[in-house]
Amino acid sequence: MVAGNPHSRAAAAHPRDSGHFRGPTSTLSQKVSVLPACTQRTFADCAAGTGLRAYREHASLGGLRFARASAGPKPNPHCHGPTGPRPNTVRRRIVDFQIVQAFFMLGFVAMAAGTLWFYLERNDLKPEHRSVATYAAVITFIAAIMYYVMKDVVKFPGGEITAADVDATLPLRYIDWLLTTPLLLVEFALIVALAGALKKGLLTKLIIADLVMIVFGYLGEIGTPGSVTNWLFFGISTLGWLYIVYVVFTLKLGADAPAHVSRAVGIMKWFVIAGWAIYPIGTATQEFIELGGGDAALAISIAAIIYVIADVLNKVGFGLIAVRAAKQS
């Protein structure tokens, strides 16, 4: 959907004293109301030079990122004089959001397919090893449910959405991670146990560090960008992840460990170290784009796509390695 020409004579001829166009500009206001990235209020603010920063003040999501205030007006690169967003920018934003919507659907399909595959593979394992496939299937099943809900939140396929709709998936993501990341560590411990190297208390320590990482990561996400508390929460969350990396990386298998188990544990270590690092990279990318005065909608869209890719790799890929090791044992 492409809005009408925002350079119309009516748009430039009437005042915007309350943030809404008046009088004979009602037709323009109706067109503005269907723009995917702006409301009528923010379209007028865009002409005043506040753009998405004003949108962050007025689009409340119950404490999420778009409810946070942003001090002072700042020129919006998507504003073109007193007439609002350029038509090309509007069309680009629609395409950007369609890509994001498609990625959420891709996440659901990948998780659902992974669940089915792990369930079918379970019967090919020895009874004492079937719990590996069970955990892998449960992890992807939870993720599939959450992605099914999230794809509806972003109105797939082709619904008109704003960056606020994409950002509204944030609590759902953290519910997913709060449930699935401890299970991923349990799955890792099961493979380590095949080599006889699982020490008492190791899994408990990893899960506690994981919960610290997730909980404080969420607090950092809903805080004010650039604030001291935000950086503090982000730092604590990162420390939790670094502790997990340290414990996993320093884990030593016995010399008598089967070669296929040693190989699987080595690969799974890199999933935890490198694969899990994708999440803070996505969060940091979004934060720095916003703090630098960039396009907040673009920042949120990029982070959402990064999270989908990371979820598929770390849940489905991790499970594939674990099930393969169990099958060879």
Side-chain angles (χ1 to χ4, degrees), residues 38-111:
C38 297
T39 59
Q40 292 184 27
R41 172 62 186 263
T42 57
F43 188 88
D45 288 337
C46 189
T50 57
L52 277 173
R53 286 182 169 255
Y55 179 50
R56 291 161 63 88
E57 296 175 0
H58 297 294
S60 175
L61 285 176
L64 296 183
R65 187 178 305 279
F66 273 82
R68 298 198 289 264
S70 179
K74 179 167 181 158
N76 190 321
H78 300 303
C79 294
H80 188 63
T83 56
R86 300 183 182 94
N88 288 340
T89 299
V90 173
R91 286 192 289 269
R92 180 185 62 80
R93 181 60 46 76
I94 292 173
V95 172
D96 289 346
F97 284 138
Q98 287 177 341
I99 293 173
V100 175
Q101 290 170 321
F103 264 89
F104 277 99
M105 185 61 188
L106 175 64
F108 165 69
V109 172
M111 297 301 180

Side-chain angles (χ1 to χ4, degrees), residues 260-284:
H260 67 276
V261 175
S262 298
R263 184 167 54 252
V265 170
I267 295 173
M268 294 171 80
K269 281 183 179 182
W270 283 108
F271 268 101
V272 176
I273 295 170
W276 288 23
I278 299 175
Y279 298 103
I281 290 174
T283 301

Side-chain angles (χ1 to χ4, degrees), residues 174 177-183 185 204-218 236-237 240-241 244 276:
Y174 273 89
W177 296 339
L178 192 64
L179 295 173
T180 57
T181 52
L183 294 177
L185 293 173
T204 301
K205 293 176 183 177
L206 288 175
I207 290 178
I208 291 174
D210 176 74
L211 294 177
V212 169
M213 177 184 69
I214 299 299
V215 171
F216 282 95
Y218 179 69
I236 295 174
S237 177
W241 171 68
I244 295 173
W276 288 23

